[in-house]
Amino acid sequence: MKYKLSNIDVAIIIKELQKIKNCRLNNIYDLNNRNFLFKFDNLKDIPISNNFLYENKIYLNYLNGKFFYVTQNPSFQRVQKPTTFVMKLREKLKNKRLTNIEQVGLDKIVKLTFGEEEYTYYIFIELFSQGNIILTDNNYKIITLIRWHDYDES
């Protein structure tokens, strides 16, 4: 059993996830402080295998820094009150269309693009170390992220 994804694993996952491009993000859930679930509406005109669906929805699960995958049986054990991070993601991304999904270079970083033109938002998902999810606007200005890093310049 794998404990972390390699760069090649990420490339293969990205290729498979091209099937959910143009689907609308229905909601985002935090299952705990390290596990997040993205719920997408299935579009009738996009041929998606039933292996990707649960009650006609597509669920992407992200385990901080380790895994990013489509799940058929999502966990419905969520935190009672969403974190401020998830509330910010919902505020900016709910009902936005996933317009692109790609790997950044050969790194273990997934870039999800939502919306178009000045209403574009990006999510960068880091699949290394302890992981991170970074939400940026169309100018790549960081709006929110899970883990903040302070670097000492000396």
Side-chain angles (χ1 to χ4, degrees):
M1 175 172 191
K2 282 192 166 239
Y3 293 102
K4 285 205 173 207
L5 297 173
S6 71
N7 300 23
I8 295 170
D9 294 329
V10 173
I12 292 168
I13 289 170
I14 297 302
K15 186 176 180 186
E16 282 295 313
L17 290 178
Q18 295 303 314
K19 297 173 184 171
I20 68 167
K21 261 174 46 174
N22 296 317
C23 289
R24 218 172 266 289
L25 183 64
N26 186 283
N27 215 341
I28 303 163
Y29 305 101
D30 44 348
L31 306 178
N32 57 45
N33 64 347
R34 298 178 43 86
N35 199 352
F36 298 89
L37 190 65
F38 297 82
K39 178 178 163 184
F40 290 88
D41 286 329
N42 179 29
L43 300 175
K44 302 272 187 231
D45 56 340
I46 297 177
I48 295 179
S49 165
N50 284 336
N51 294 341
F52 276 92
L53 300 175
Y54 177 80
E55 294 182 355
N56 211 32
K57 303 287 184 194
I58 301 162
Y59 290 90
L60 287 179
N61 199 349
Y62 170 69
L63 178 59
N64 230 6
K66 295 187 181 190
F67 297 109
F68 182 64
Y69 58 92
V70 174
T71 181
Q72 275 187 294
N73 36 337
S75 171
F76 292 102
Q77 295 179 342
R78 303 178 186 122
V79 295
Q80 289 295 334
K81 185 176 182 210
T83 60
T84 55
F85 171 74
V86 169
M87 292 301 290
K88 183 60 84 171
L89 288 178
R90 288 178 180 178
E91 172 191 333
K92 299 294 184 184
L93 301 176
K94 196 167 181 177
N95 294 318
K96 291 248 188 254
R97 193 172 301 281
L98 177 65
T99 54
N100 197 20
I101 182 166
E102 60 188 297
Q103 182 176 9
V104 177
L106 295 175
D107 290 331
K108 294 195 278 185
I109 300 174
V110 177
K111 178 183 172 185
L112 304 173
T113 306
F114 292 90
E116 295 177 353
E117 299 171 5
E118 70 267 13
Y119 302 106
T120 300
Y121 292 96
Y122 302 101
I123 289 185
F124 292 91
I125 297 175
E126 296 178 349
L127 294 164
F128 55 87
S129 184
Q130 300 218 347
N132 209 348
I133 298 177
I134 304 164
L135 174 67
T136 70
D137 63 10
N138 63 331
N139 296 316
Y140 295 99
K141 181 180 174 193
I142 295 175
I143 297 171
T144 189
L145 48 88
I146 297 174
R147 293 179 344 119
W148 296 86
H149 299 281
D150 290 325
Y151 295 101
D152 187 10
E153 293 185 21
S154 59

